[in-house]
Amino acid sequence: MKILVTGGAGFIGCNFVHYLLENHPEDKIVNLDLLTYAGNLESLADIADKPNYQFVKGDIADMEQIDALFAREQFDVVVNFAAETHVDRSIKDPGVFVRTNVMGTQALLDASRKYGVKRYHQVSTDEVYGDLPLDRKDLFFTEETPLHTSSPYSASKAGSDLLVLSYYRTFALPVTISRCSNNYGAYQFPEKMIPLMLTRALHDEALPVYGTGENVRDWLHVKDHCAAIDLILQKGREGEIYNIGGHNEKTNLEVVRLILEALDKPESLIHFVEDRKGHDLRYAINPEKIERELGWKPQYTFEKGIRETIAWYLEHREWWQHILDGAYKEYFQKMYKM
């Protein structure tokens, strides 16, 4: 098969590209990424020369470029990771999120329909469901939970999900959607919580924790996420949504303390800051549908996954240091003379 992975230079996307090349070496992978601030080709340097892998710099919201790419490549499958994803950035500039997450999705859907893509998969988020109360541990997000967004980011993702489902109903485009909990693992951009806390702690810098740190997230290892998407592509029913969760609920403060303990750093580095506007209290996914229908189960406990993640960042200091000092942006120019 020929698979288009959009946003494949980002955190989850690059892990998925690595996963496909390792587990489906017979497939051809085209990675389309605009290389905005969070896209990093250094994350793909070890597979850049593989004969069944190709990188294309491009914008999913550029309809002319998307149409030309689909006409040339004739993709069998599209997996759309490309998105603006950082909540704080969406509060500062919502328009960028609407353009990429909604208009970009429309461009991909139109091209998929026009050129006969056999499966279009939309990678979404549990944040489209809003949040759950901290004192109701019996409540979980299911695929039937009503959408109730809290930020411009989650609203733009909910809008793109609804657009995807409309193309299934109106045009019979073969689509699936997955909604995941918070991912962590190798190659995550250092603005996200775990690598942010980890890299700051290594420099003995203050760790900014929103509010009291009691907000709860369900943590999903990125490798478990990749395996789940692969199963959905192979066995998932068209027009269906699949929630992917890790069964690993932790408060933000618990996660920060685990990182400090692993690095042998003092808790005095924790610095509580003013809470985020509209900060969701608790995310918790019920993944029974994908477990029951497709046989997926997460392989990582959070304790195992966080140890591996911390070890990866310690062993790859150059990768994240290049991001912190801006040098990672030079990799594209060196590789592609642009």
Side-chain angles (χ1 to χ4, degrees):
M1 290 196 303
K2 185 176 285 189
I3 302 173
L4 173 65
V5 177
T6 68
F11 163 47
I12 307 175
C14 81
N15 275 281
F16 190 65
V17 169
H18 282 286
Y19 177 94
L20 288 177
L21 291 171
E22 180 180 348
N23 292 277
H24 300 284
E26 70 284 0
D27 292 338
K28 180 179 179 182
I29 313 302
V30 176
N31 174 10
L32 176 70
D33 198 293
L34 186 56
L35 296 181
T36 56
Y37 75 96
N40 187 357
L41 285 180
E42 288 187 348
S43 305
L44 299 152
D46 59 329
I47 52 97
D49 296 327
K50 283 188 175 289
N52 60 332
Y53 169 75
Q54 177 189 1
F55 173 77
V56 177
K57 185 181 181 185
D59 181 357
I60 63 169
D62 184 337
M63 293 189 177
E64 289 186 6
Q65 182 184 19
I66 292 299
D67 188 86
L69 179 64
F70 274 67
R72 182 174 71 248
E73 299 292 346
Q74 298 293 315
F75 298 111
D76 299 298
V77 173
V78 175
V79 184
N80 181 25
F81 291 94
E84 296 286 345
T85 64
H86 198 244
V87 174
D88 290 344
R89 289 177 182 266
S90 80
I91 294 170
K92 292 180 181 294
D93 189 0
V96 174
F97 285 70
V98 173
R99 182 184 183 277
T100 298
N101 298 354
V102 180
M103 302 304 294
T105 295
Q106 182 198 348
L108 293 172
L109 289 167
D110 284 340
S112 296
R113 179 181 169 225
K114 180 177 179 180
Y115 293 102
V117 165
K118 299 179 179 65
R119 173 63 63 87
Y120 175 95
H121 183 76
Q122 181 79 359
V123 180
S124 188
T125 170
D126 60 355
E127 294 190 44
V128 300
Y129 298 125
D131 63 352
L132 298 166
L134 293 176
D135 60 352
R136 289 292 306 276
K137 299 298 184 183
D138 57 315
L139 296 179
F140 296 88
F141 297 138
T142 71
E143 290 79 2
E144 287 73 42
T145 299
L147 304 186
H148 188 68
T149 61
S150 304
S151 69
Y153 159 59
S154 57
S156 67
K157 290 298 288 183
S160 63
D161 286 4
L162 294 173
L163 198 60
V164 170
L165 293 174
S166 77
Y167 273 62
Y168 172 71
R169 178 159 182 171
T170 304
F171 305 117
L173 184 68
V175 307
T176 44
I177 296 173
S178 58
R179 292 173 178 158
C180 66
S181 55
N182 282 39
N183 277 223
Y184 69 103
Y187 300 113
Q188 190 169 28
F189 200 77
E191 72 178 359
K192 298 293 188 175
M193 192 183 87
I194 287 178
L196 175 67
M197 300 301 168
L198 206 162
T199 54
R200 290 185 66 85
L202 286 171
H203 287 108
D204 294 311
E205 297 173 337
L207 309 187
V209 176
Y210 281 127
T212 61
E214 295 305 310
N215 303 69
V216 173
R217 299 295 181 260
D218 173 24
W219 291 95
L220 173 69
H221 196 281
V222 67
K223 290 183 179 179
D224 281 332
H225 189 189
C226 291
I229 293 174
D230 187 27
L231 269 177
I232 294 170
L233 292 176
Q234 294 180 52
K235 301 179 180 179
R237 290 184 289 133
E238 293 177 7
E240 291 293 318
I241 298 166
Y242 294 92
N243 283 349
I244 310 170
H247 297 293
N248 289 305
E249 287 188 56
K250 302 286 181 186
T251 68
N252 290 344
L253 192 56
E254 284 178 314
V255 174
V256 172
R257 283 172 170 161
L258 280 171
I259 292 170
L260 289 172
E261 181 181 358
L263 298 177
D264 195 24
K265 297 289 184 176
E267 290 192 10
S268 59
L269 290 176
I270 296 172
H271 180 62
F272 294 102
V273 299
E274 181 181 353
D275 209 358
R276 170 191 284 163
K277 297 182 190 317
H279 200 180
D280 288 333
L281 295 175
R282 174 175 170 254
Y283 301 151
I285 273 184
N286 180 342
E288 285 183 5
K289 180 177 178 179
I290 190 172
E291 293 175 352
R292 180 180 67 253
E293 292 190 9
L294 308 185
W296 175 85
K297 290 276 189 182
Q299 301 302 303
Y300 281 85
T301 63
F302 187 75
E303 288 70 25
K304 173 187 175 184
I306 196 66
R307 285 197 303 271
E308 286 192 11
T309 300
I310 291 171
W312 188 89
Y313 278 87
L314 291 174
E315 293 166 6
H316 296 82
R317 288 173 183 257
E318 186 178 75
W319 180 87
W320 53 265
Q321 193 62 54
H322 280 183
I323 293 174
L324 295 182
D325 61 25
Y328 77 105
K329 296 177 182 177
E330 300 172 4
Y331 183 83
F332 177 78
Q333 284 80 6
K334 290 179 181 177
M335 286 293 294
Y336 294 92
K337 309 296 190 294
M338 294 177 64

